[in-house]
Amino acid sequence: MKRVRKAVFPVAGLGTRFLPATKSIPKEMLTVVDRPVIQYVVDEAREAGIEHFIFVTGRNKAVIEDHFDVQFELYDTLAQRGKTEQLERLQRLQPAPGQTSFTRQQVPLGLGHAVWCARELVGDEPFALLLPDMIMQSEKSCMREMVELYAETGNNIIAVQECDPAEAHKYGIVGKGKSVHTGFEIEGMVEKPKQGTAPSNLFINGRYILQPEIFKILASQERGAGDEIQLTDAMLKLEKMQSFYGYHYRGRTFDCGSPEGFVEANVAFALSRSDLSRSMAGVIEGLLGEIKPGK
């Protein structure tokens, strides 16, 4: 069984829900407290033992590549000014030479197409897939738990979380089979089921470990919902040939692709930091007492 060494990050989305902010700044580079959203996702992959970070980008996304590059002038300035702590922090976040790769999704044909665009960089080995809109907050990272489950089971792993059963029609939902190690066998997947027909309330939360056979399926995958190549459609075909396991993630997930989730993430991460929690708690309490909700 091959180890999971590579991770794919589809970062070609336009971020239209954040206009005008994303007119010139990729949505993945919007900051939660003092780090870009994409940095949180890469850090999660690194904690799980990922060694190679593959970004599927689009036009106007070059700043993402710059963010993960060495900035000699900045590092030299910090060193000269004695800002050792800041310099060391940046260096800890810096991928090693050769650990990052970038490829273009030249046409917006959906998540399945973005994953397929990474096929040559992934090669014939299992890989992690992390959706950059979704950032996690937990004691042990979601992807690390998934990699550990993969080591026990092999095949394909999907992270899921509970949602309100009345909201299940908004998500990709999995059916839950028998328990296996820290996860369970997946018995079927359905994308946005009709209300009252969902097999469970466990929704796919944007973290996957997939076998390379998915690329062959995606190469001929017909367009689905939204006239796009859907990853879920390809996984349903792969499920007929290989097992899928679910990891029930119980930490917090923030959908930073929406303004509400983005603001929530900023509040949650600020309150979890020892240098900010007390002051931010006071600020939030004061604002709640002074500002009336907008109509």
Side-chain angles (χ1 to χ4, degrees):
M1 185 171 60
K2 294 181 179 179
R3 191 166 64 86
V4 181
R5 302 185 310 110
K6 299 179 180 180
V8 174
F9 306 88
V11 294
L14 296 175
T16 54
R17 287 186 287 180
F18 278 96
L19 287 169
T22 50
K23 183 179 178 182
S24 59
I25 301 173
K27 63 177 181 176
E28 297 84 8
M29 291 302 294
L30 297 176
T31 55
V32 172
V33 188
D34 57 2
R35 278 194 282 175
V37 169
I38 188 63
Q39 185 69 62
Y40 287 90
V41 186
V42 169
D43 290 346
E44 179 185 341
R46 183 186 284 113
E47 184 187 337
I50 298 299
E51 301 169 355
H52 191 174
F53 310 98
I54 300 168
F55 299 86
V56 182
T57 71
R59 287 180 291 277
N60 301 320
K61 299 280 187 168
V63 68
I64 297 177
E65 188 169 352
D66 291 339
H67 174 72
F68 290 104
D69 200 358
V70 174
Q71 293 182 312
F72 292 103
E73 298 84 356
L74 174 60
Y75 289 8
D76 184 61
T77 299
L78 291 174
Q80 290 186 27
R81 295 180 180 178
K83 298 187 182 236
T84 306
E85 184 178 345
Q86 290 174 301
L87 177 58
E88 289 178 349
R89 183 184 180 199
L90 288 176
Q91 291 173 332
R92 285 195 301 269
L93 297 175
Q94 181 73 50
Q99 278 194 319
T100 56
S101 296
F102 297 82
T103 188
R104 287 285 187 106
Q105 183 187 18
Q106 295 163 317
V107 286
L109 290 179
L111 176 59
H113 181 259
V115 172
W116 180 77
C117 288
R119 66 197 182 282
E120 296 295 337
L121 293 168
V122 171
D124 187 26
E125 57 185 286
F127 65 99
L129 171 64
L130 298 91
L131 304 192
D133 285 349
M134 314 300 284
I135 64 174
M136 313 294 202
Q137 188 183 54
S138 58
E139 185 174 341
K140 192 174 181 180
S141 82
C142 180
M143 183 52 65
R144 182 177 173 185
E145 296 274 15
M146 293 174 67
V147 167
E148 291 177 2
L149 178 59
Y150 171 81
E152 297 289 344
T153 61
N155 287 305
N156 306 275
I157 311 290
I158 300 176
V160 297
Q161 283 183 256
E162 293 182 13
C163 68
D164 183 337
E167 302 289 311
H169 65 284
K170 298 179 180 179
Y171 305 100
I173 301 294
V174 305
K176 184 176 182 180
K178 69 178 183 180
S179 296
V180 178
H181 298 285
T182 57
F184 59 89
E185 293 181 352
I186 288 179
E187 295 183 346
M189 292 174 275
V190 58
E191 185 68 27
K192 296 182 179 180
K194 292 182 179 180
Q195 285 187 302
T197 66
S200 74
N201 68 329
L202 297 174
F203 74 95
I204 301 171
N205 72 359
R207 299 291 186 268
Y208 312 77
I209 293 175
L210 298 172
Q211 295 295 319
E213 287 77 13
I214 194 75
F215 293 122
K216 185 176 181 180
I217 296 172
L218 287 169
S220 58
Q221 178 65 47
E222 63 275 6
R223 298 190 189 189
D227 198 31
E228 296 180 337
I229 297 173
Q230 298 292 336
L231 179 65
T232 303
D233 293 341
M235 290 195 301
L236 286 170
K237 292 181 180 179
L238 185 59
E239 187 186 24
K240 296 177 181 178
M241 300 177 282
Q242 297 179 356
S243 298
F244 274 75
Y245 297 89
Y247 166 65
H248 190 170
Y249 173 70
R250 291 177 170 82
R252 296 188 184 90
T253 299
F254 304 98
D255 180 4
C256 290
S258 71
E260 298 87 351
F262 177 73
V263 172
E264 183 184 2
N266 270 279
V267 173
F269 277 92
L271 290 175
S272 68
R273 284 180 42 165
S274 59
D275 60 331
L276 294 175
S277 58
R278 182 171 297 180
S279 61
M280 286 306 304
V283 168
I284 293 169
E285 186 177 1
L287 290 174
L288 288 173
E290 297 172 10
I291 299 177
K292 295 180 179 179
K295 294 182 180 180

